[in-house]
Amino acid sequence: MSDTLKILQLRLDGLAETMQQTLLRCAVSPVVREGADASCALFSPRGEVLALAEAIPLLLGALPGSVRAILDAYPAETMQPGDIFVTNDPFSGGTHLPDIAVVQPVFAEARLVALSASLLHHQDIGSTRAGSVPPDATEIFHEGLRLPPLQAGRAGRFDPAFERLIRAASRVPDVVVGDLETQLAAGFRAAEGVRRLAGEAGAESFLAACDAMLDRAEAATVARLSELPAGPFAGEDELDPVAGLGPCAARVSLRFEAGRMIADFHGSSPQVAAPVNCVRSGPLSATFYGLLTLLDDGALRNGGVLRCLDLRLPEASVVNAAPPAAVNARMNMVRCITSALLQALAHADGARMPAANSGMSYVIAFSGTDDAGQRFLSTEIVAGGAGGGPRADGCSAISTDVGNAMNISAEALESLVPMRLLSAEIRRGSGGPGQFRGGDGAKRVYEALTDGIAASIRGERFSRVAQGAHGGVAPKGSAVTVLRVDGGREELTARSAITLNRGDRVVIESSGGAGYGPPA
């Protein structure tokens, strides 16, 4: 590999990571500052990924679609220095409505040389429930403000009209606008670095080197995929059943032909009237992640890898929803897709692939009005366990595969909402037994400190859990229990909306990872 191209990739990766750290250090909302629910990347003027931050693959896989949608609406040759573009439309490359992408063109020597892009989970952009993740939504119109690809600013600042629109839609407008400004700042940091890089060799030479870098990644991916048996290799997984809904299953067939990976998801379930559907960015994130796991250490990781992917999706399905489908709880469907994909990859390259991860995470939003009459809102993410591997046990209470979010600390939660985190611990024994055990899930216990707290809870793996590999055993399922102050007890379902009063407690228990190999 050319040392020059490797160095260029490392320098661009460093700039993407600088963007990421700017978001995590300067964001207003704790789900970003503490939970790391954001991602950054750099793109070529054609919309190909140049560099990725070490962030959440679930979001990084969504950025190519968002950037492509913006370029379709605003061609590169019409962009000017200081322009700002945004979108959160799931049906135009996005994920779900709280994830707003901010894209900024980068110029050097009066030429467009790159695009900076960030995706951040915003605390509230409307919807029927605070936090914009309503578990009872049945169509996109229940889920909040939908922004098609649009120009939201010029000369490096958001337009006042755009800011008024955001403020009118949100229950916590200062938080959302503050986080959008943080995304701008992250883009400015990256632009400075890209201009320095382009200035060292000249804009023309920089663009040529980026193209060569993409070509090199493509060539390495073609060579690696050509080593694998042709297949086909099948995998499938399914979400927990819900009364009144049809099945929610992801099915994939993988084939390797002429250095390309063909991922065909036909056979997956039709979309349903619940927010568990995902759009194209979901399977793209999962397959991009799967491709990266196949590459050797030291391989360039950029959009050249994606040139080797042929993604085939059924229309109006749970893996490729069509309007007006609800999609806010799409995370666990993407995890389901990833689990199916990893099963197929385990058949193709079994010596490297571990048993299935928990395939779930909780997203919990607490909102209401405190005793002083002030509105509060906070969202957090609770992870499960990793699957056991060919040589080691899985990790416990960790975000896995397409997720990379962090558990939020008690101090951060309690400073924002009148809730007390009574305990946060490993859920011992919840991982699947095996020669190498699956990692355990997490257990967190919350207590309400005031009346009327609305809690939206989105989880998965209550009844359908990850399956063990090569004789390994499945883990325990997830659970949510409400312990009322009057002694009552309620067992909740995977997607629930409840009201908590002073003294009520909520016990969150996540599923573990599956075991690898027969238990001793």
Side-chain angles (χ1 to χ4, degrees), residues 215-490:
D215 292 342
R216 185 63 59 86
E218 179 185 14
T221 306
V222 167
R224 176 70 181 99
L225 297 184
S226 298
E227 298 172 355
L228 297 174
F233 304 101
E236 65 178 280
D237 202 356
E238 189 168 347
L239 297 184
D240 289 335
V242 177
L245 293 184
C248 297
R251 297 182 176 91
V252 64
S253 174
L254 291 185
R255 289 184 289 119
F256 299 94
E257 296 179 1
R260 294 178 63 80
M261 185 172 87
I262 301 169
D264 191 335
F265 286 88
H266 284 84
S268 298
S269 300
Q271 67 190 44
V272 295
V276 298
N277 309 288
C278 75
V279 291
R280 186 179 187 275
S281 62
L284 177 61
S285 298
T287 49
F288 192 9
Y289 165 79
L291 274 172
L292 294 180
T293 64
L294 293 173
L295 299 182
D296 297 326
D297 293 340
L300 299 184
R301 285 165 163 76
N302 57 45
V305 176
L306 281 175
R307 294 175 181 175
C308 302
L309 174 64
D310 185 350
L311 190 59
R312 301 179 182 180
L313 302 171
E315 296 295 330
S317 65
V318 292
V319 302
N320 185 31
V327 297
N328 76 80
R330 93 285 177 222
M331 179 189 296
N332 288 312
M333 176 49 68
V334 182
R335 290 287 179 82
C336 183
I337 292 168
T338 306
S339 178
L341 181 77
L342 292 179
Q343 289 176 39
L345 288 174
H347 295 307
D349 195 16
R352 295 174 56 154
M353 303 306 296
N357 301 314
S358 66
M360 62 81 60
S361 58
Y362 285 105
V363 178
I364 309 166
F366 297 113
S367 64
T369 304
D370 64 20
D371 292 339
Q374 298 296 312
R375 184 186 291 275
F376 62 84
L377 171 63
S378 184
T379 303
E380 69 169 338
I381 301 171
V382 180
R391 292 173 293 277
D393 294 341
C395 293
S396 297
I398 187 171
S399 194
T400 54
D401 48 66
V402 293
N404 195 26
M406 305 289 287
N407 293 325
I408 295 178
S409 67
E411 293 83 358
L413 174 72
E414 293 173 1
S415 68
L416 293 165
V417 298
M419 298 288 296
R420 178 173 292 122
L421 185 60
L422 297 178
S423 65
E425 58 189 288
I426 303 295
R427 186 188 178 199
R428 301 294 178 188
S430 57
Q435 179 185 1
F436 294 105
R437 289 185 55 85
D440 291 325
K443 180 178 179 180
R444 290 165 77 87
V445 181
Y446 307 84
E447 182 179 358
L449 302 182
T450 192
D451 291 337
I453 298 177
S456 295
I457 301 171
R458 296 185 290 125
E460 198 56 55
R461 301 300 189 188
F462 280 50
S463 58
R464 297 186 187 277
V465 296
Q467 298 304 300
H470 308 291
V473 180
K476 289 183 179 179
S478 306
V480 179
T481 307
V482 178
L483 305 176
R484 299 292 184 181
V485 71
D486 62 3
R489 180 186 181 96
E490 302 170 29

